[in-house]
């Protein structure tokens, strides 16, 4: 892995390319496991200044599968979807870590 200042290795949730969801998965939504979004890593951009990552989220709560894209997220930035808010805490080559800031009640 390429080491950069954005690669802090800090965060409770891990994303890697080609994996459907984070490890661990987000906590189950009030609507059950079928309503819990899956966060995916689309790509990292280590040559950008600042370093950024593109994430996608598969949403199921709205009655059918849909997705939402979050492009150009830098270290410390947040993404909000379906009552969840996550904060990017580390961007490494081929890996992003994040913390869960808010979840639906």
């Amino acid at each position: 892995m390429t080491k950069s200042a954005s690669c802090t290795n800090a965060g409770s949730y891990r994303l890697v390319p080609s994996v459907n969801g984070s490890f661990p998965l987000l906590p189950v939504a009030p609507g059950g496991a079928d309503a819990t979004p899956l966060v995916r890593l689309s790509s990292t951009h280590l040559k950008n200044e600042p370093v950024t990552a593109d994430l996608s989220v598969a949403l199921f709560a709205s009655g059918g599968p849909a997705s939402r894209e979050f492009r150009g997220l830098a270290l410390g930035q947040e993404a909000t979807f379906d009552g969840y808010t996550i904060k990017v805490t580390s961007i490494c080559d081929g890996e992003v870590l994040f913390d869960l800031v808010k979840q639906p009640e």
Side-chain angles (χ1 to χ4, degrees):
M1 273 193 227
T2 302
K3 184 75 171 166
S4 72
S6 68
C7 188
T8 65
N9 293 313
S12 300
Y13 295 83
R14 181 175 184 250
L15 297 170
V16 294
S18 305
V19 174
N20 196 14
S22 60
F23 180 79
L25 294 173
L26 292 175
V28 175
D34 291 342
T36 304
L38 292 174
V39 183
R40 300 176 185 142
L41 174 59
S42 300
S43 59
T44 57
H45 306 281
L46 300 179
K47 293 181 181 178
N48 287 1
E49 187 54 48
V51 171
T52 61
D54 298 335
L55 306 181
S56 66
V57 179
L59 306 169
F60 305 101
S62 57
S67 75
R68 184 156 174 208
E69 301 289 325
F70 294 93
R71 298 194 180 279
L73 291 174
L75 199 64
Q77 289 190 312
E78 296 182 353
T80 300
F81 48 88
D82 272 16
Y84 292 87
T85 300
I86 63 170
K87 181 177 182 178
V88 176
T89 56
S90 180
I91 303 173
C92 304
D93 185 16
E95 176 184 76
V96 169
L97 299 172
F98 67 88
D99 284 331
L100 182 61
V101 176
K102 182 182 172 197
Q103 69 186 64
E105 297 176 10

